[in-house]
Short mmCIF file of all heavy atoms in Angstrom, two decimals:
data_model
loop_
_atom_site.label_atom_id
_atom_site.label_comp_id
_atom_site.label_asym_id
_atom_site.label_seq_id
_atom_site.Cartn_x
_atom_site.Cartn_y
_atom_site.Cartn_z
N VAL R 55 26.96 -2.75 12.96
CA VAL R 55 26.52 -2.29 11.65
C VAL R 55 26.23 -0.89 11.66
O VAL R 55 25.97 -0.30 12.73
CB VAL R 55 25.25 -3.14 11.31
CG1 VAL R 55 25.42 -4.69 11.22
CG2 VAL R 55 24.08 -2.84 12.18
N ARG R 56 26.25 -0.34 10.49
CA ARG R 56 25.77 1.09 10.31
C ARG R 56 24.29 1.21 10.05
O ARG R 56 23.83 0.65 8.92
CB ARG R 56 26.60 1.69 9.17
CG ARG R 56 26.40 3.21 8.84
CD ARG R 56 27.34 3.64 7.79
NE ARG R 56 27.12 4.87 7.39
CZ ARG R 56 27.69 6.00 7.92
NH1 ARG R 56 28.48 5.77 8.88
NH2 ARG R 56 27.47 7.17 7.37
N LEU R 57 23.64 1.79 11.02
CA LEU R 57 22.10 1.86 10.80
C LEU R 57 21.76 2.86 9.61
O LEU R 57 22.56 3.74 9.23
CB LEU R 57 21.45 2.34 12.01
CG LEU R 57 21.64 1.25 13.16
CD1 LEU R 57 20.77 1.93 14.44
CD2 LEU R 57 20.85 0.00 12.73
N PRO R 58 20.69 2.61 9.01
CA PRO R 58 20.38 3.32 7.72
C PRO R 58 19.95 4.85 7.97
O PRO R 58 19.69 5.15 9.15
CB PRO R 58 19.22 2.56 7.09
CG PRO R 58 18.53 1.98 8.30
CD PRO R 58 19.62 1.66 9.28
N ARG R 59 19.98 5.67 6.98
CA ARG R 59 19.30 6.96 7.06
C ARG R 59 18.09 7.03 6.18
O ARG R 59 17.98 6.33 5.12
CB ARG R 59 20.35 8.02 6.53
CG ARG R 59 21.45 8.41 7.65
CD ARG R 59 20.85 9.47 8.41
NE ARG R 59 20.76 10.79 7.87
CZ ARG R 59 19.53 11.35 7.75
NH1 ARG R 59 18.43 10.92 8.20
NH2 ARG R 59 19.51 12.58 7.01
N THR R 60 17.08 7.83 6.57
CA THR R 60 15.94 8.04 5.79
C THR R 60 15.79 9.49 5.64
O THR R 60 14.80 10.02 6.34
CB THR R 60 14.67 7.34 6.57
OG1 THR R 60 15.03 6.12 6.93
CG2 THR R 60 13.51 7.23 5.55
N PRO R 61 16.51 10.15 4.89
CA PRO R 61 16.44 11.67 4.79
C PRO R 61 15.11 12.33 4.32
O PRO R 61 14.80 13.39 4.56
CB PRO R 61 17.76 12.06 3.77
CG PRO R 61 17.79 10.74 3.11
CD PRO R 61 17.49 9.65 3.97
N ALA R 62 14.33 11.42 3.60
CA ALA R 62 13.07 11.98 3.17
C ALA R 62 12.08 12.10 4.23
O ALA R 62 11.03 12.79 4.15
CB ALA R 62 12.48 11.11 1.98
N VAL R 63 12.37 11.46 5.38
CA VAL R 63 11.33 11.49 6.51
C VAL R 63 11.95 12.14 7.74
O VAL R 63 11.32 12.91 8.42
CB VAL R 63 10.92 10.11 6.91
CG1 VAL R 63 9.91 10.03 8.01
CG2 VAL R 63 10.23 9.39 5.58
N PHE R 64 13.29 11.75 8.04
CA PHE R 64 13.90 12.24 9.22
C PHE R 64 15.09 13.09 8.99
O PHE R 64 15.77 13.03 8.05
CB PHE R 64 14.33 11.02 9.95
CG PHE R 64 13.26 10.03 10.47
CD1 PHE R 64 13.12 8.83 9.79
CD2 PHE R 64 12.42 10.40 11.51
CE1 PHE R 64 12.18 7.94 10.26
CE2 PHE R 64 11.41 9.55 11.85
CZ PHE R 64 11.26 8.29 11.17
N GLU R 65 15.28 14.02 10.02
CA GLU R 65 16.53 14.76 10.06
C GLU R 65 17.69 13.87 10.42
O GLU R 65 17.50 12.80 11.04
CB GLU R 65 16.32 15.88 11.07
CG GLU R 65 15.21 16.85 10.76
CD GLU R 65 14.95 17.69 12.05
OE1 GLU R 65 15.79 18.54 12.41
OE2 GLU R 65 13.83 17.49 12.73
N ARG R 66 18.95 14.27 10.21
CA ARG R 66 20.11 13.61 10.64
C ARG R 66 20.41 13.78 12.15
O ARG R 66 20.34 14.87 12.60
CB ARG R 66 21.35 13.99 9.85
CG ARG R 66 22.57 13.17 10.19
CD ARG R 66 23.73 13.79 9.52
NE ARG R 66 23.68 13.56 8.07
CZ ARG R 66 23.90 12.43 7.40
NH1 ARG R 66 24.56 11.44 8.19
NH2 ARG R 66 23.89 12.41 6.05
N LYS R 67 20.67 12.67 12.84
CA LYS R 67 20.93 12.82 14.22
C LYS R 67 22.40 12.96 14.32
O LYS R 67 23.19 12.29 13.62
CB LYS R 67 20.52 11.55 14.89
CG LYS R 67 20.71 11.51 16.39
CD LYS R 67 20.15 10.18 17.04
CE LYS R 67 20.37 10.08 18.66
NZ LYS R 67 19.59 11.07 19.30
N THR R 68 22.87 13.93 15.04
CA THR R 68 24.28 14.24 15.08
C THR R 68 24.95 14.12 16.46
O THR R 68 26.12 14.35 16.65
CB THR R 68 24.46 15.78 14.66
OG1 THR R 68 23.71 16.52 15.48
CG2 THR R 68 23.98 15.90 13.18
N SER R 69 24.16 13.87 17.52
CA SER R 69 24.81 13.78 18.87
C SER R 69 24.17 12.60 19.73
O SER R 69 22.88 12.27 19.42
CB SER R 69 24.63 15.01 19.63
OG SER R 69 23.30 15.33 19.88
N TRP R 70 24.81 11.92 20.49
CA TRP R 70 24.34 10.77 21.18
C TRP R 70 24.81 11.03 22.64
O TRP R 70 25.92 11.43 23.01
CB TRP R 70 24.87 9.50 20.71
CG TRP R 70 24.52 9.28 19.18
CD1 TRP R 70 23.31 8.46 18.86
CD2 TRP R 70 25.08 9.67 18.06
NE1 TRP R 70 23.27 8.54 17.55
CE2 TRP R 70 24.29 9.17 16.92
CE3 TRP R 70 26.23 10.49 17.71
CZ2 TRP R 70 24.64 9.55 15.61
CZ3 TRP R 70 26.57 10.70 16.50
CH2 TRP R 70 25.84 10.24 15.44
N LYS R 71 23.88 10.57 23.64
CA LYS R 71 24.40 10.72 25.05
C LYS R 71 25.40 9.82 25.53
O LYS R 71 26.22 10.23 26.39
CB LYS R 71 23.01 10.71 25.98
CG LYS R 71 22.06 11.71 25.70
CD LYS R 71 20.85 11.54 26.60
CE LYS R 71 19.81 12.48 26.41
NZ LYS R 71 18.67 12.41 27.46
#
Side-chain angles (χ1 to χ4, degrees):
V55 300
R56 184 177 172 86
L57 292 180
R59 279 277 291 120
T60 317
V63 180
F64 299 105
E65 304 162 70
R66 182 185 295 276
K67 186 176 178 67
T68 58
S69 63
W70 299 268
K71 292 182 178 180

